[in-house]
Amino acid sequence: AQSVTQPDIHITVSEGASLELRCNYSYGATPYLFWYVQSPGQGLQLLLKYFSGDTLVQGIKGFEAEFKRSQSSFNLRKPSVHWSDAAEYFCAVGAYNQGGKLIFGQGTELSVKP
Amino acid sequence: NAGVMQNPRHLVRRRGQEARLRCSPMKGHSHVYWYRQLPEEGLKFMVYLQKENIIDESGMPKERFSAEFPKEGPSILRIQQVVRGDSAAYFCASSPPSTSVPNTIYFGEGSWLTVV
């Protein structure tokens, strides 16, 4: 079955510390991978996406993610977290010929300590 | 969220009433998707529409839910005879007219439905 797993429901990091949010997927076809961020009461904003090519992708707000096919993972990283990064982060997977039909993980809530 | 417009942002309905949620896609986008986010959960795909066509409704509940995207006007997600379990955030997303490659979809701000 196709699925996306975000193992960490809630993570707390100190401002200025590095961050890694985990995402594992199970998908029969070639996956196309996304990370979205959602602030409370708001919609989803695309951080970055991987379709093909270089497995390390850069996104907005200083985020990056690395696609590792052998581990079925697409972890999101940021070298130095800012208080404004506190939000919910969603990993999602799509496929060729599926248009915008995505499967989302359950999300990881990020809290940032001063 | 890049220009996908949803309204109303917040909607309160009594059990048994109807809820209608509207979505205008980004300019130039002809594909619309509806997702539902239940409390403490991620987003779940509901339906994928093009103008006057339902492409994929595999995520729609079998009863009481319907969606349309007419030739003119916004896409509508309609929930008849709402129950408390329908309380959720409903997100619309849109993408450009291509299904042969993976599309980046852009989400609206969401419509929060509360059933009392």
Side-chain angles (χ1 to χ4, degrees):
Chain A
Q2 300 162 354
S3 65
V4 176
T5 301
Q6 294 180 245
D8 305 304
I9 295 173
H10 189 204
I11 284 182
T12 300
V13 300
S14 298
E15 191 168 16
S18 64
L19 171 70
E20 182 169 29
L21 302 182
R22 296 183 290 165
C23 172
N24 294 97
Y25 66 89
S26 172
Y27 211 75
T30 300
Y32 301 100
L33 296 151
F34 306 81
W35 275 99
Y36 286 87
V37 61
Q38 182 184 32
S39 297
Q42 301 295 315
L44 279 74
Q45 182 181 23
L46 179 68
L47 285 176
L48 48 77
K49 61 189 177 186
Y50 172 77
F51 286 175
S52 65
D54 192 346
T55 55
L56 184 64
V57 294
Q58 302 297 321
I60 61 170
K61 304 185 180 186
F63 285 93
E64 66 177 28
E66 186 171 12
F67 171 56
K68 293 185 177 180
R69 185 185 298 275
S70 61
Q71 298 176 20
S72 297
S73 69
F74 188 57
N75 294 349
L76 182 72
R77 300 195 293 251
K78 186 169 184 177
S80 177
V81 168
H82 188 262
W83 65 266
S84 61
D85 293 324
E88 186 103 23
Y89 291 80
F90 292 97
C91 180
V93 63
Y96 186 85
N97 276 343
Q98 293 275 315
K101 179 181 178 180
L102 303 180
I103 297 172
F104 281 83
Q106 291 212 295
T108 297
E109 184 179 356
L110 173 65
S111 297
V112 181
K113 290 190 300 186
Chain B
N1 47 38
V4 178
M5 303 301 294
Q6 290 188 248
N7 67 82
R9 291 293 314 279
H10 297 276
L11 182 64
V12 179
R13 284 288 178 265
R14 289 196 172 90
R15 281 177 294 171
Q17 290 186 319
E18 178 179 287
R20 283 191 180 221
L21 309 177
R22 288 175 291 279
C23 170
S24 296
M26 281 181 66
K27 187 176 181 180
H29 286 191
S30 56
H31 295 194
V32 164
Y33 312 83
W34 285 95
Y35 285 80
R36 177 166 66 174
Q37 184 178 34
L38 293 169
E40 309 298 326
E41 293 188 17
L43 278 75
K44 297 282 195 271
F45 168 80
M46 299 180 76
V47 64
Y48 166 21
L49 309 114
Q50 295 177 22
K51 289 279 188 184
E52 300 184 284
N53 278 311
I54 296 175
I55 305 302
D56 183 339
E57 56 181 346
S58 57
M60 287 281 270
K62 295 287 184 266
E63 298 176 347
R64 301 188 296 108
F65 285 72
S66 62
E68 63 175 5
F69 188 16
K71 188 175 180 181
E72 301 290 337
S75 175
I76 306 285
L77 179 67
R78 182 183 179 202
I79 312 171
Q80 295 178 290
Q81 299 175 329
V82 296
V83 301
R84 288 225 169 103
D86 297 331
S87 296
Y90 292 83
F91 288 94
C92 174
S94 72
S95 68
S98 171
T99 57
S100 62
V101 294
N103 265 323
T104 300
I105 63 172
Y106 297 89
F107 283 87
E109 294 279 315
S111 292
W112 269 257
L113 171 65
T114 302
V115 180
V116 297

